[in-house]
Amino acid sequence: MAGSREAAPPSHLPVMWAQVMEGLRVRRDGRYLDGTFGRGGHARGVLDRLGPEGRLLVMDKDPEAIATARALFGAEPRVAIRRGSFADLVAWEETAPGLDGVLLDLGVSSPQLDVADRGFSFAKDGPLDMRMDPDGGESAADWLARASEREIADVLWQYGEERHSRRIARAIVARRGQAPITRTAELAELVASVLGRGDGRIHPATRTFQAIRIHVNRELDDLRRGLDAALSRLRPGGRLAVISFHSLEDRIVKQFIARHARPPAGNRRMPAQQSFVPDLLEVGGAQRATEQETADNPRARSAVLRVAEKLSGVRP
């Protein structure tokens, strides 16, 4: 049965739910892609706003997220489900007719952090895995077992902005010479032994875990590919909404929108360029969670939402 634009939000709100719904500006007959389904809070909001002729496409790398999607929406004729990265959305024939909106909620999901066996959290001891798709790629433990000290240091610096990356990398290589590092608690304790406990507000292993997770899952490369893919599939008037949780992600999104919305800076020494025709219009600038939401959900404190609207281009 068709939903209503006045449909109530889910009881457990995903991050910046109201702002995302406003940003996507869902049309009843539109076609929308949630490229990071998670546990479906945003997707349900979109589906509630679609009419009988609307279409919701959902993707996720995580098999547990896809299992949730099938349990929730498997019998819903307006929904199509695909396991995979949003970076490959153009390979999905369901996107070929064009999209009226794309949502990307980046980073690790709360359910992934809550399950110790996934290996994402330094607060829960479990296998040092960190893969969003546990059936593909290299685990964090396997990568740490083979990477050079320099490669580890570079990853911690580039993706975690960890000032003590060389010291941590040196300690990891020394420890693995005695025995492989296979548990999240082992890695967290090792980093804490190098950096000290600090003031207790932020765990000393926070940046290290973030950096290794981003590297293992190729998150920033996937984001760049996914943004290009989303733009290619959006119809004129369609909306792109991206939630980032750290500065590296947000910088990529911000620069992508700027590159397609504003002409490049002029250079008097260079020949005049052809007239710039924007592909995107930025909608509202960077948005952050309300004080009430951050009080209810501490994870929302670092969230930044950016929305852009497709202006031109050939309709897919």
Side-chain angles (χ1 to χ4, degrees), residues 215-258:
H215 175 73
V216 165
N217 292 288
R218 306 179 306 279
E219 291 178 38
L220 300 188
D221 289 341
D222 276 8
L223 175 57
R224 294 184 183 95
R225 291 174 54 212
L227 291 171
D228 286 335
L231 180 59
S232 74
R233 283 294 192 245
L234 278 173
R235 296 165 171 163
R239 293 283 182 94
L240 170 67
V242 186
I243 304 173
S244 305
F245 287 90
H246 58 74
S247 60
L248 296 175
E249 294 171 337
D250 184 54
R251 189 179 305 134
I252 291 171
V253 178
K254 179 181 178 180
Q255 291 174 350
F256 175 82
I257 293 173

mmCIF file of all heavy atoms in Angstrom, residues 215-258:
data_model
loop_
_atom_site.group_PDB
_atom_site.id
_atom_site.type_symbol
_atom_site.label_atom_id
_atom_site.label_comp_id
_atom_site.label_asym_id
_atom_site.label_seq_id
_atom_site.Cartn_x
_atom_site.Cartn_y
_atom_site.Cartn_z
ATOM 1 N N HIS A 215 41.399 1.689 5.055
ATOM 2 C CA HIS A 215 42.306 1.057 4.092
ATOM 3 C C HIS A 215 41.799 -0.316 3.665
ATOM 4 O O HIS A 215 41.750 -0.620 2.464
ATOM 5 C CB HIS A 215 43.699 0.935 4.711
ATOM 6 C CG HIS A 215 44.665 0.183 3.846
ATOM 7 N ND1 HIS A 215 45.199 0.713 2.693
ATOM 8 C CD2 HIS A 215 45.166 -1.081 3.949
ATOM 9 C CE1 HIS A 215 45.997 -0.179 2.136
ATOM 10 N NE2 HIS A 215 45.998 -1.281 2.870
ATOM 11 N N VAL A 216 41.423 -1.146 4.635
ATOM 12 C CA VAL A 216 40.986 -2.514 4.337
ATOM 13 C C VAL A 216 39.766 -2.512 3.420
ATOM 14 O O VAL A 216 39.647 -3.356 2.509
ATOM 15 C CB VAL A 216 40.692 -3.271 5.645
ATOM 16 C CG1 VAL A 216 39.891 -4.543 5.394
ATOM 17 C CG2 VAL A 216 41.993 -3.614 6.374
ATOM 18 N N ASN A 217 38.867 -1.556 3.621
ATOM 19 C CA ASN A 217 37.622 -1.514 2.844
ATOM 20 C C ASN A 217 37.683 -0.591 1.631
ATOM 21 O O ASN A 217 36.670 -0.434 0.946
ATOM 22 C CB ASN A 217 36.468 -1.084 3.757
ATOM 23 C CG ASN A 217 36.140 -2.121 4.806
ATOM 24 O OD1 ASN A 217 35.587 -3.170 4.499
ATOM 25 N ND2 ASN A 217 36.508 -1.854 6.052
ATOM 26 N N ARG A 218 38.841 0.033 1.390
ATOM 27 C CA ARG A 218 39.007 0.945 0.246
ATOM 28 C C ARG A 218 37.908 2.018 0.240
ATOM 29 O O ARG A 218 37.346 2.360 -0.810
ATOM 30 C CB ARG A 218 38.995 0.169 -1.081
ATOM 31 C CG ARG A 218 39.986 -0.965 -1.157
ATOM 32 C CD ARG A 218 39.920 -1.704 -2.481
ATOM 33 N NE ARG A 218 38.578 -2.166 -2.799
ATOM 34 C CZ ARG A 218 38.030 -3.273 -2.311
ATOM 35 N NH1 ARG A 218 38.710 -4.045 -1.473
ATOM 36 N NH2 ARG A 218 36.810 -3.617 -2.637
ATOM 37 N N GLU A 219 37.610 2.539 1.408
ATOM 38 C CA GLU A 219 36.442 3.397 1.558
ATOM 39 C C GLU A 219 36.532 4.697 0.757
ATOM 40 O O GLU A 219 35.546 5.122 0.149
ATOM 41 C CB GLU A 219 36.194 3.709 3.034
ATOM 42 C CG GLU A 219 35.739 2.495 3.825
ATOM 43 C CD GLU A 219 35.539 2.793 5.307
ATOM 44 O OE1 GLU A 219 35.050 3.887 5.630
ATOM 45 O OE2 GLU A 219 35.899 1.946 6.133
ATOM 46 N N LEU A 220 37.691 5.334 0.748
ATOM 47 C CA LEU A 220 37.785 6.613 0.056
ATOM 48 C C LEU A 220 37.806 6.426 -1.457
ATOM 49 O O LEU A 220 37.220 7.234 -2.193
ATOM 50 C CB LEU A 220 39.018 7.387 0.529
ATOM 51 C CG LEU A 220 39.043 7.704 2.026
ATOM 52 C CD1 LEU A 220 40.202 8.635 2.357
ATOM 53 C CD2 LEU A 220 37.728 8.304 2.508
ATOM 54 N N ASP A 221 38.427 5.368 -1.932
ATOM 55 C CA ASP A 221 38.376 5.069 -3.369
ATOM 56 C C ASP A 221 36.944 4.760 -3.795
ATOM 57 O O ASP A 221 36.480 5.222 -4.849
ATOM 58 C CB ASP A 221 39.285 3.885 -3.704
ATOM 59 C CG ASP A 221 40.763 4.232 -3.613
ATOM 60 O OD1 ASP A 221 41.088 5.439 -3.656
ATOM 61 O OD2 ASP A 221 41.587 3.311 -3.489
ATOM 62 N N ASP A 222 36.244 3.957 -2.991
ATOM 63 C CA ASP A 222 34.852 3.650 -3.300
ATOM 64 C C ASP A 222 33.997 4.909 -3.293
ATOM 65 O O ASP A 222 33.074 5.055 -4.111
ATOM 66 C CB ASP A 222 34.289 2.642 -2.288
ATOM 67 C CG ASP A 222 34.617 1.199 -2.649
ATOM 68 O OD1 ASP A 222 35.406 0.983 -3.598
ATOM 69 O OD2 ASP A 222 34.093 0.282 -1.986
ATOM 70 N N LEU A 223 34.273 5.822 -2.366
ATOM 71 C CA LEU A 223 33.503 7.057 -2.311
ATOM 72 C C LEU A 223 33.690 7.878 -3.586
ATOM 73 O O LEU A 223 32.706 8.368 -4.169
ATOM 74 C CB LEU A 223 33.915 7.872 -1.081
ATOM 75 C CG LEU A 223 33.274 9.259 -0.944
ATOM 76 C CD1 LEU A 223 31.753 9.168 -0.944
ATOM 77 C CD2 LEU A 223 33.788 9.947 0.320
ATOM 78 N N ARG A 224 34.921 8.016 -4.022
ATOM 79 C CA ARG A 224 35.171 8.792 -5.254
ATOM 80 C C ARG A 224 34.452 8.156 -6.446
ATOM 81 O O ARG A 224 33.810 8.860 -7.240
ATOM 82 C CB ARG A 224 36.674 8.878 -5.522
ATOM 83 C CG ARG A 224 37.446 9.687 -4.481
ATOM 84 C CD ARG A 224 38.916 9.811 -4.874
ATOM 85 N NE ARG A 224 39.669 10.520 -3.847
ATOM 86 C CZ ARG A 224 40.356 9.925 -2.871
ATOM 87 N NH1 ARG A 224 40.396 8.584 -2.809
ATOM 88 N NH2 ARG A 224 41.006 10.631 -1.981
ATOM 89 N N ARG A 225 34.558 6.842 -6.572
ATOM 90 C CA ARG A 225 33.885 6.152 -7.674
ATOM 91 C C ARG A 225 32.371 6.253 -7.542
ATOM 92 O O ARG A 225 31.658 6.431 -8.539
ATOM 93 C CB ARG A 225 34.302 4.684 -7.713
ATOM 94 C CG ARG A 225 35.746 4.446 -8.112
ATOM 95 C CD ARG A 225 36.111 2.970 -7.981
ATOM 96 N NE ARG A 225 35.186 2.132 -8.732
ATOM 97 C CZ ARG A 225 34.833 0.900 -8.370
ATOM 98 N NH1 ARG A 225 35.298 0.365 -7.239
ATOM 99 N NH2 ARG A 225 33.996 0.205 -9.112
ATOM 100 N N GLY A 226 31.886 6.132 -6.306
ATOM 101 C CA GLY A 226 30.448 6.176 -6.079
ATOM 102 C C GLY A 226 29.841 7.532 -6.385
ATOM 103 O O GLY A 226 28.719 7.615 -6.916
ATOM 104 N N LEU A 227 30.556 8.601 -6.071
ATOM 105 C CA LEU A 227 30.052 9.941 -6.380
ATOM 106 C C LEU A 227 29.946 10.145 -7.885
ATOM 107 O O LEU A 227 28.945 10.674 -8.386
ATOM 108 C CB LEU A 227 30.967 10.999 -5.763
ATOM 109 C CG LEU A 227 30.955 11.084 -4.234
ATOM 110 C CD1 LEU A 227 32.060 12.013 -3.748
ATOM 111 C CD2 LEU A 227 29.596 11.549 -3.713
ATOM 112 N N ASP A 228 30.981 9.734 -8.618
ATOM 113 C CA ASP A 228 30.921 9.835 -10.078
ATOM 114 C C ASP A 228 29.771 8.997 -10.637
ATOM 115 O O ASP A 228 29.048 9.438 -11.546
ATOM 116 C CB ASP A 228 32.241 9.365 -10.694
ATOM 117 C CG ASP A 228 33.376 10.362 -10.507
ATOM 118 O OD1 ASP A 228 33.106 11.560 -10.353
ATOM 119 O OD2 ASP A 228 34.541 9.920 -10.512
ATOM 120 N N ALA A 229 29.611 7.786 -10.095
ATOM 121 C CA ALA A 229 28.551 6.902 -10.574
ATOM 122 C C ALA A 229 27.172 7.487 -10.283
ATOM 123 O O ALA A 229 26.266 7.436 -11.125
ATOM 124 C CB ALA A 229 28.682 5.527 -9.917
ATOM 125 N N ALA A 230 27.004 8.047 -9.094
ATOM 126 C CA ALA A 230 25.718 8.640 -8.725
ATOM 127 C C ALA A 230 25.372 9.797 -9.653
ATOM 128 O O ALA A 230 24.231 9.913 -10.133
ATOM 129 C CB ALA A 230 25.753 9.106 -7.274
ATOM 130 N N LEU A 231 26.342 10.656 -9.920
ATOM 131 C CA LEU A 231 26.087 11.787 -10.811
ATOM 132 C C LEU A 231 25.687 11.309 -12.195
ATOM 133 O O LEU A 231 24.777 11.871 -12.826
ATOM 134 C CB LEU A 231 27.323 12.680 -10.886
ATOM 135 C CG LEU A 231 27.212 13.906 -11.793
ATOM 136 C CD1 LEU A 231 26.061 14.811 -11.362
ATOM 137 C CD2 LEU A 231 28.526 14.686 -11.807
ATOM 138 N N SER A 232 26.337 10.252 -12.672
ATOM 139 C CA SER A 232 26.027 9.752 -14.017
ATOM 140 C C SER A 232 24.624 9.171 -14.101
ATOM 141 O O SER A 232 24.019 9.170 -15.179
ATOM 142 C CB SER A 232 27.056 8.705 -14.438
ATOM 143 O OG SER A 232 26.864 7.477 -13.760
ATOM 144 N N ARG A 233 24.104 8.667 -12.997
ATOM 145 C CA ARG A 233 22.784 8.044 -13.002
ATOM 146 C C ARG A 233 21.660 8.986 -12.569
ATOM 147 O O ARG A 233 20.485 8.694 -12.805
ATOM 148 C CB ARG A 233 22.781 6.809 -12.102
ATOM 149 C CG ARG A 233 23.437 5.579 -12.709
ATOM 150 C CD ARG A 233 22.641 5.095 -13.907
ATOM 151 N NE ARG A 233 23.066 3.773 -14.347
ATOM 152 C CZ ARG A 233 23.629 3.512 -15.509
ATOM 153 N NH1 ARG A 233 23.898 4.521 -16.345
ATOM 154 N NH2 ARG A 233 23.958 2.283 -15.858
ATOM 155 N N LEU A 234 21.986 10.091 -11.929
ATOM 156 C CA LEU A 234 20.925 11.005 -11.504
ATOM 157 C C LEU A 234 20.267 11.664 -12.708
ATOM 158 O O LEU A 234 20.936 12.100 -13.654
ATOM 159 C CB LEU A 234 21.493 12.084 -10.582
ATOM 160 C CG LEU A 234 21.672 11.730 -9.113
ATOM 161 C CD1 LEU A 234 22.404 12.861 -8.385
ATOM 162 C CD2 LEU A 234 20.338 11.451 -8.437
ATOM 163 N N ARG A 235 18.954 11.768 -12.651
ATOM 164 C CA ARG A 235 18.216 12.529 -13.639
ATOM 165 C C ARG A 235 18.304 14.013 -13.298
ATOM 166 O O ARG A 235 18.484 14.379 -12.137
ATOM 167 C CB ARG A 235 16.747 12.108 -13.630
ATOM 168 C CG ARG A 235 16.502 10.676 -14.033
ATOM 169 C CD ARG A 235 15.112 10.232 -13.668
ATOM 170 N NE ARG A 235 14.763 8.932 -14.222
ATOM 171 C CZ ARG A 235 13.752 8.186 -13.810
ATOM 172 N NH1 ARG A 235 12.988 8.596 -12.809
ATOM 173 N NH2 ARG A 235 13.507 7.027 -14.389
ATOM 174 N N PRO A 236 18.172 14.901 -14.286
ATOM 175 C CA PRO A 236 18.096 16.325 -13.954
ATOM 176 C C PRO A 236 16.991 16.583 -12.930
ATOM 177 O O PRO A 236 15.873 16.088 -13.059
ATOM 178 C CB PRO A 236 17.773 16.966 -15.303
ATOM 179 C CG PRO A 236 18.396 16.037 -16.305
ATOM 180 C CD PRO A 236 18.187 14.659 -15.734
ATOM 181 N N GLY A 237 17.335 17.308 -11.880
ATOM 182 C CA GLY A 237 16.401 17.536 -10.778
ATOM 183 C C GLY A 237 16.546 16.540 -9.653
ATOM 184 O O GLY A 237 15.990 16.726 -8.572
ATOM 185 N N GLY A 238 17.310 15.452 -9.881
ATOM 186 C CA GLY A 238 17.536 14.456 -8.835
ATOM 187 C C GLY A 238 18.489 14.975 -7.771
ATOM 188 O O GLY A 238 19.297 15.872 -8.016
ATOM 189 N N ARG A 239 18.402 14.387 -6.593
ATOM 190 C CA ARG A 239 19.188 14.852 -5.454
ATOM 191 C C ARG A 239 20.208 13.797 -5.007
ATOM 192 O O ARG A 239 19.900 12.600 -4.971
ATOM 193 C CB ARG A 239 18.264 15.176 -4.276
ATOM 194 C CG ARG A 239 17.316 16.383 -4.489
ATOM 195 C CD ARG A 239 18.061 17.674 -4.345
ATOM 196 N NE ARG A 239 17.242 18.851 -4.472
ATOM 197 C CZ ARG A 239 16.671 19.507 -3.441
ATOM 198 N NH1 ARG A 239 16.807 19.039 -2.196
ATOM 199 N NH2 ARG A 239 15.989 20.606 -3.651
ATOM 200 N N LEU A 240 21.394 14.270 -4.641
ATOM 201 C CA LEU A 240 22.442 13.460 -4.024
ATOM 202 C C LEU A 240 22.583 13.909 -2.580
ATOM 203 O O LEU A 240 22.774 15.103 -2.318
ATOM 204 C CB LEU A 240 23.769 13.653 -4.763
ATOM 205 C CG LEU A 240 25.023 13.058 -4.111
ATOM 206 C CD1 LEU A 240 24.965 11.532 -4.117
ATOM 207 C CD2 LEU A 240 26.283 13.541 -4.826
ATOM 208 N N ALA A 241 22.483 12.974 -1.633
ATOM 209 C CA ALA A 241 22.631 13.278 -0.210
ATOM 210 C C ALA A 241 23.696 12.362 0.367
ATOM 211 O O ALA A 241 23.597 11.143 0.244
ATOM 212 C CB ALA A 241 21.307 13.088 0.524
ATOM 213 N N VAL A 242 24.722 12.951 1.000
ATOM 214 C CA VAL A 242 25.838 12.174 1.538
ATOM 215 C C VAL A 242 26.094 12.580 2.984
ATOM 216 O O VAL A 242 26.273 13.768 3.271
ATOM 217 C CB VAL A 242 27.126 12.380 0.716
ATOM 218 C CG1 VAL A 242 28.221 11.449 1.225
ATOM 219 C CG2 VAL A 242 26.874 12.146 -0.764
ATOM 220 N N ILE A 243 26.108 11.591 3.872
ATOM 221 C CA ILE A 243 26.446 11.817 5.275
ATOM 222 C C ILE A 243 27.866 11.311 5.506
ATOM 223 O O ILE A 243 28.164 10.141 5.263
ATOM 224 C CB ILE A 243 25.490 11.078 6.230
ATOM 225 C CG1 ILE A 243 24.036 11.463 5.954
ATOM 226 C CG2 ILE A 243 25.843 11.387 7.685
ATOM 227 C CD1 ILE A 243 23.031 10.631 6.746
ATOM 228 N N SER A 244 28.742 12.192 5.973
ATOM 229 C CA SER A 244 30.128 11.852 6.289
ATOM 230 C C SER A 244 30.329 11.908 7.794
ATOM 231 O O SER A 244 29.633 12.637 8.499
ATOM 232 C CB SER A 244 31.087 12.841 5.623
ATOM 233 O OG SER A 244 30.874 12.919 4.227
ATOM 234 N N PHE A 245 31.348 11.161 8.254
ATOM 235 C CA PHE A 245 31.619 11.127 9.689
ATOM 236 C C PHE A 245 33.034 11.534 10.058
ATOM 237 O O PHE A 245 33.376 11.569 11.234
ATOM 238 C CB PHE A 245 31.316 9.732 10.253
ATOM 239 C CG PHE A 245 29.852 9.455 10.333
ATOM 240 C CD1 PHE A 245 29.191 8.879 9.264
ATOM 241 C CD2 PHE A 245 29.123 9.802 11.458
ATOM 242 C CE1 PHE A 245 27.823 8.633 9.320
ATOM 243 C CE2 PHE A 245 27.763 9.565 11.528
ATOM 244 C CZ PHE A 245 27.115 8.980 10.456
ATOM 245 N N HIS A 246 33.873 11.830 9.072
ATOM 246 C CA HIS A 246 35.158 12.412 9.404
ATOM 247 C C HIS A 246 35.620 13.293 8.252
ATOM 248 O O HIS A 246 35.060 13.280 7.153
ATOM 249 C CB HIS A 246 36.201 11.357 9.776
ATOM 250 C CG HIS A 246 36.469 10.333 8.728
ATOM 251 N ND1 HIS A 246 37.185 10.577 7.582
ATOM 252 C CD2 HIS A 246 36.114 9.032 8.662
ATOM 253 C CE1 HIS A 246 37.276 9.486 6.857
ATOM 254 N NE2 HIS A 246 36.633 8.534 7.487
ATOM 255 N N SER A 247 36.656 14.085 8.507
ATOM 256 C CA SER A 247 37.040 15.150 7.590
ATOM 257 C C SER A 247 37.510 14.630 6.241
ATOM 258 O O SER A 247 37.322 15.304 5.220
ATOM 259 C CB SER A 247 38.130 16.012 8.230
ATOM 260 O OG SER A 247 39.277 15.227 8.534
ATOM 261 N N LEU A 248 38.115 13.453 6.194
ATOM 262 C CA LEU A 248 38.599 12.932 4.920
ATOM 263 C C LEU A 248 37.438 12.672 3.960
ATOM 264 O O LEU A 248 37.505 13.020 2.783
ATOM 265 C CB LEU A 248 39.389 11.646 5.144
ATOM 266 C CG LEU A 248 40.676 11.764 5.961
ATOM 267 C CD1 LEU A 248 41.268 10.375 6.204
ATOM 268 C CD2 LEU A 248 41.679 12.663 5.269
ATOM 269 N N GLU A 249 36.389 12.036 4.463
ATOM 270 C CA GLU A 249 35.197 11.798 3.641
ATOM 271 C C GLU A 249 34.558 13.112 3.221
ATOM 272 O O GLU A 249 34.235 13.326 2.045
ATOM 273 C CB GLU A 249 34.164 10.992 4.433
ATOM 274 C CG GLU A 249 34.549 9.586 4.786
ATOM 275 C CD GLU A 249 33.559 8.961 5.743
ATOM 276 O OE1 GLU A 249 32.843 9.680 6.468
ATOM 277 O OE2 GLU A 249 33.502 7.720 5.772
ATOM 278 N N ASP A 250 34.334 13.988 4.199
ATOM 279 C CA ASP A 250 33.624 15.232 3.912
ATOM 280 C C ASP A 250 34.389 16.092 2.915
ATOM 281 O O ASP A 250 33.781 16.754 2.062
ATOM 282 C CB ASP A 250 33.374 16.010 5.205
ATOM 283 C CG ASP A 250 32.548 17.259 4.962
ATOM 284 O OD1 ASP A 250 31.444 17.129 4.368
ATOM 285 O OD2 ASP A 250 32.996 18.354 5.336
ATOM 286 N N ARG A 251 35.709 16.085 2.997
ATOM 287 C CA ARG A 251 36.503 16.869 2.053
ATOM 288 C C ARG A 251 36.291 16.374 0.631
ATOM 289 O O ARG A 251 36.159 17.175 -0.304
ATOM 290 C CB ARG A 251 37.986 16.784 2.434
ATOM 291 C CG ARG A 251 38.894 17.730 1.657
ATOM 292 C CD ARG A 251 40.334 17.581 2.138
ATOM 293 N NE ARG A 251 40.402 17.775 3.585
ATOM 294 C CZ ARG A 251 41.080 16.988 4.411
ATOM 295 N NH1 ARG A 251 41.735 15.933 3.944
ATOM 296 N NH2 ARG A 251 41.111 17.244 5.693
ATOM 297 N N ILE A 252 36.252 15.053 0.453
ATOM 298 C CA ILE A 252 36.025 14.495 -0.881
ATOM 299 C C ILE A 252 34.656 14.905 -1.405
ATOM 300 O O ILE A 252 34.506 15.309 -2.563
ATOM 301 C CB ILE A 252 36.170 12.962 -0.845
ATOM 302 C CG1 ILE A 252 37.635 12.575 -0.610
ATOM 303 C CG2 ILE A 252 35.647 12.324 -2.139
ATOM 304 C CD1 ILE A 252 37.842 11.089 -0.343
ATOM 305 N N VAL A 253 33.629 14.805 -0.557
ATOM 306 C CA VAL A 253 32.268 15.161 -0.975
ATOM 307 C C VAL A 253 32.180 16.656 -1.288
ATOM 308 O O VAL A 253 31.621 17.064 -2.314
ATOM 309 C CB VAL A 253 31.246 14.776 0.112
ATOM 310 C CG1 VAL A 253 29.839 15.195 -0.305
ATOM 311 C CG2 VAL A 253 31.294 13.276 0.386
ATOM 312 N N LYS A 254 32.741 17.471 -0.414
ATOM 313 C CA LYS A 254 32.720 18.925 -0.606
ATOM 314 C C LYS A 254 33.402 19.317 -1.913
ATOM 315 O O LYS A 254 32.871 20.122 -2.696
ATOM 316 C CB LYS A 254 33.404 19.607 0.577
ATOM 317 C CG LYS A 254 33.469 21.119 0.476
ATOM 318 C CD LYS A 254 34.192 21.700 1.684
ATOM 319 C CE LYS A 254 34.312 23.214 1.593
ATOM 320 N NZ LYS A 254 35.026 23.778 2.774
ATOM 321 N N GLN A 255 34.572 18.751 -2.172
ATOM 322 C CA GLN A 255 35.307 19.083 -3.389
ATOM 323 C C GLN A 255 34.602 18.568 -4.635
ATOM 324 O O GLN A 255 34.622 19.225 -5.679
ATOM 325 C CB GLN A 255 36.728 18.523 -3.299
ATOM 326 C CG GLN A 255 37.584 19.235 -2.258
ATOM 327 C CD GLN A 255 38.947 18.588 -2.068
ATOM 328 O OE1 GLN A 255 39.208 17.490 -2.579
ATOM 329 N NE2 GLN A 255 39.826 19.249 -1.331
ATOM 330 N N PHE A 256 33.962 17.396 -4.520
ATOM 331 C CA PHE A 256 33.217 16.855 -5.662
ATOM 332 C C PHE A 256 32.070 17.796 -6.038
ATOM 333 O O PHE A 256 31.890 18.127 -7.218
ATOM 334 C CB PHE A 256 32.668 15.474 -5.308
ATOM 335 C CG PHE A 256 31.782 14.874 -6.369
ATOM 336 C CD1 PHE A 256 32.326 14.224 -7.455
ATOM 337 C CD2 PHE A 256 30.395 14.976 -6.275
ATOM 338 C CE1 PHE A 256 31.511 13.675 -8.445
ATOM 339 C CE2 PHE A 256 29.577 14.434 -7.248
ATOM 340 C CZ PHE A 256 30.136 13.785 -8.343
ATOM 341 N N ILE A 257 31.304 18.215 -5.053
ATOM 342 C CA ILE A 257 30.179 19.118 -5.338
ATOM 343 C C ILE A 257 30.687 20.434 -5.906
ATOM 344 O O ILE A 257 30.150 20.958 -6.897
ATOM 345 C CB ILE A 257 29.334 19.342 -4.071
ATOM 346 C CG1 ILE A 257 28.643 18.037 -3.661
ATOM 347 C CG2 ILE A 257 28.296 20.446 -4.296
ATOM 348 C CD1 ILE A 257 27.913 18.111 -2.333
ATOM 349 N N ALA A 258 31.748 20.989 -5.296
ATOM 350 C CA ALA A 258 32.288 22.259 -5.776
ATOM 351 C C ALA A 258 32.774 22.152 -7.213
ATOM 352 O O ALA A 258 32.565 23.066 -8.030
ATOM 353 C CB ALA A 258 33.420 22.712 -4.864
#
